[in-house]
Amino acid sequence: MRRVGPPVVRLLDDDVESIRYSLASHLLYSVGKDPVNATARDWFMAAAYTVRDRVSERWMPTLNRYYDQDQKRVYYMSMEFLIGRTLSNAMISLGIYDQVKTAIEEMNLDFDEIVGWEVEAALGNGGLGRLAACLLDSMASLDVAGFGYGIRYDYGMFTQHVEHGWQVESPENWLRYGNPWEFPRPGVIYPVRFGGRVVHYKDVLGQTRAQWMDTEEVMAMAYDVPVPGYGGKTVNHLRLWSAKSTREFDLKYFNAGNYIEAVRDKNESETLSKVLYPSDITSRGKELRFKQEYFFVAASIQDILARFRKAHSDWNKLPERVAVQLNDTHPALVVAELMRVLVDEHHLEWNHAWDLTRRSCAYTNHTLLPEALETWPVDMFERILPRHLEIIFRINHEFLQEVRHRHPGDSDLLRRVSLVGEDGERRVRMAHLAVVGSHKVNGVAAIHTGLMKSTIFSDFEHLSPGKINNKTNGVTPRRWVLAANPGLSKLITEAVGEGWVTHLDRLKGLEKLADDKDFHARFAAVKRANKQHLAQVIGQRLGVDVSVDSLFDVQIKRIHEYKRQLLNVLHVVTRYARIRANPTVDVVPRTVIIGGKAAPGYILAKLIIKLINDVADVVNNDPLVGDKLKVVFVPNYNVSTAELVMPAAELSEQISTAGTEASGTGNMKMSMNGALTIGTWDGANVEICEEVGEDNMFLFGLTAQEVARRRIDGYDPQIAINANDELKRALDMIGSGYFSPDQTDRYRSLVEALTNGDTYLLTADYPLYIAAQERVDALYRDPDEWTRKAILNVARMGKFSSDRTVAEYARDIWGVATNN
Ligand SMILES: *Cc1c(COP(=O)(O)O)cnc(C)c1O
């Protein structure tokens, strides 16, 4: 029997008095302090434990319920989870926010200061990792038995400092003070093997079998982070793996009397979970990265199958009870690992194992950029995972055989769809492995899915029509509206009731208030208060004085050429040149806020950060300019910064080259918080436009088709530059050192990238972008009309709740019910 003791009961009450008692108890018994010598950080820990206790009380019953009802589990496999801070979010999910806040304040403590001590969990780079976090929140909120699997990096995303305008990275030792949200599970530990060789032999029944041997081993130990759903009925978890050395590994050296070697080896095997690769979208050819991918895949598959086997002996039930979602190709080794375990360890027939594997797995693609498509050299693959390479070769052989039968004589097709690329160095194509090994493949916005079908996966679309489908991304309204923007949330709740938090479509009820004078005034006042707050933080932390009367124009996201922060800078420089040419002109005052991290090895992206800061230095200190234009680079863009900035944004910059941004989610967060979007026909901008209406946005520029056409025809930026004096002037100013008098050629390479080639077509879109910015100014001169459109944006963003996204995955891919 599994459960012998009594079921878990709720021991703790949620009233202010009980919570105060918990806080005091934890301060003394868990933190080891008393109110006399406790710091704010000590109180943060006490508050975290106080809330965590109440999370745990709801967590165990959830797991028991799943077990008792033999619920199908969804496993969301992701190398990244960009969770952010947890305390406020957990308080809100459990419905104890007011009580905890009151209890803290009644002890004469500063609630905001205490909350501010939490170090955010930044186990991700950007959009992909943040999506994983939003989906976990929505799965728990919809009572889906959904669990995350990932890596517990000792060092998450680096901290970005700005020194003399340049990005400087420092490691984020986020676990230094301990992480109150994780539960170490020293008993949940699995071996993960690397290297060695494969021998084939015949067993007693005459069956040919493979044995993978002489491997090195690392242990994967589980840490569980509870994920409370909104309303507190369901608490799921995220299981993160940490690498530990194996005892046998050490003994080899200890027995030889070499203590130092043994300890060194121990450290080396533990490097596997040491650090997150800080490069958004690319991480090519790095052996450690490949090992990280296998490490978390192997541990997760063992864990998933162990849980399945506790309840089932019939392998045929696997796809009915287990859905594995691959967040990009980083976990694509799941396909080969599941095959290996089923065939080599459980002796299933190949075809049987293949059927179960495919029906259990599904894959989400996140990018079409060729540099981001993962491939691994065959010889490295063979050295590290020799058995998996054999399995992939056999999968490929049988797959190509099938394609050959259906399309005889088409050897070019075989070359194109093969899991192994043969041009130049032979490489395993992880996207092809993921597609072939999955029953469903999805993109993350309609336009992106369409492009998947017509470009990188067009052959697969013909081979398996219907397999590729769309699941437009969403964001959780709990974190991104309810928690981040309490002023707006209060207003919404007064207007449409509380239901919007879990049924975001109900924001539609705001439409009828878009012309209501009183609502206008209150909506505008909320935005102004949020701007005030941001302006205060900018003044305090960065020493820049920004006017709350200016238009807050925001572009916050990873710094990348395709996202075109440079186009934004070209607009800023154009604006600046106009003001200088005519200082008395009546312009709409702007504060341009830009934030984002560059991958440490991405030289051009780091140069763009320096340019933003150089431009800011000139513009902000030019007495001719004053409040007409300010430029602010917000350092260390992360989830907490996003929560501060999004509610204050009035204009959301979503200006990627059409066809390059798969979806974007920053666009959704800002629109939900009442910003108007200036953007291209790219990613989810297109669907946001379908919902909120083209009149309520500023869309501009080439379409994805036009971009593709121009690239085929061979784009010449010189023509666009020569045709536009302001563009030429802006490029000249940047290229000649106007903003970098200390080093006049600093930006020559940057300007040359635009004048020769201009891969991302900034010069083609520039005139249309400037024209769209002029429409922005014109509208801002009419505050009522601006506010009306902002209200309509909020009212019509219901589709972009990650609850809708999860419900679609549940229905079309996972085959599980949702409770909404
Ligand atoms: C939402 C979010 C992103 C993704 O932003 P995009 O504009 O979609 O690229 C990246 N980082 C953080 C911290 C976020 O909150």
Side-chain angles (χ1 to χ4, degrees), residues 148-289:
Y149 275 116
I151 296 176
R152 180 182 178 271
Y153 301 105
D154 294 342
Y155 295 88
M157 192 57 201
F158 66 82
T159 301
Q160 178 194 57
H161 307 271
V162 175
E163 289 178 13
H164 308 295
W166 294 99
Q167 165 173 304
V168 175
E169 305 92 20
S170 68
E172 171 59 304
N173 188 0
W174 72 295
L175 296 168
R176 182 175 43 225
Y177 297 117
N179 174 7
W181 305 111
E182 69 182 9
F183 290 83
R185 304 293 190 201
V188 183
I189 186 158
Y190 298 103
V192 177
R193 300 190 290 156
F194 295 97
R197 63 201 172 91
V198 184
V199 293
H200 295 267
Y201 64 97
K202 280 208 176 1
D203 69 9
V204 289
L205 300 170
Q207 289 279 338
T208 301
R209 303 225 166 269
Q211 192 180 358
W212 182 21
M213 56 196 294
D214 298 341
T215 51
E216 286 179 12
E217 254 179 33
V218 177
M219 303 303 287
M221 182 184 138
Y223 286 75
D224 290 341
V225 181
V227 178
Y230 185 74
K233 177 179 169 217
T234 291
V235 177
N236 293 332
H237 60 260
L238 166 60
R239 178 158 278 187
L240 298 173
W241 301 107
S242 179
K244 312 276 172 197
S245 63
T246 58
R247 192 176 311 182
E248 301 86 79
F249 213 64
D250 299 344
L251 275 177
K252 198 167 63 190
Y253 292 107
F254 277 124
N255 293 343
N258 198 338
Y259 171 76
I260 298 295
E261 275 304 299
V263 175
R264 195 173 66 85
D265 254 26
K266 174 174 149 69
N267 284 331
E268 274 176 18
S269 51
E270 293 182 355
T271 57
L272 270 182
S273 55
K274 195 58 85 186
V275 61
L276 166 75
Y277 274 89
S279 168
D280 200 26
I281 72 185
T282 51
S283 60
R284 298 201 76 166
K286 296 282 191 292
E287 185 168 320
L288 180 61
R289 167 72 175 203

Side-chain angles (χ1 to χ4, degrees), residues 10 51-66 73 86 89-91 93-95 136-148 181 183 185 224-238:
R10 294 274 299 278
V51 173
R52 189 182 87 164
D53 288 347
R54 288 160 174 82
V55 171
S56 296
E57 284 195 333
R58 293 155 171 92
W59 182 20
M60 293 304 123
T62 302
L63 300 185
N64 290 332
R65 185 176 83 224
Y66 294 155
R73 263 72 158 199
T86 291
N89 195 255
M91 288 160 57
S93 288
L94 267 49
L136 287 187
D137 179 276
S138 284
M139 287 194 282
S141 299
L142 294 175
D143 302 333
V144 169
F147 301 90
W181 305 111
F183 290 83
R185 304 293 190 201
D224 290 341
V225 181
V227 178
Y230 185 74
K233 177 179 169 217
T234 291
V235 177
N236 293 332
H237 60 260
L238 166 60

Side-chain angles (χ1 to χ4, degrees), residues 60 69 77 125 132 154 270 278 300 329 372 391 484 516 544-546 658 773 788:
M60 293 304 123
Q69 300 174 356
M77 305 277 295
N125 272 283
D154 294 342
E270 293 182 355
S300 306
T329 57
I391 288 168
D516 180 302
V544 182
D545 191 15
V546 304
Q773 290 287 14
R788 195 180 75 83

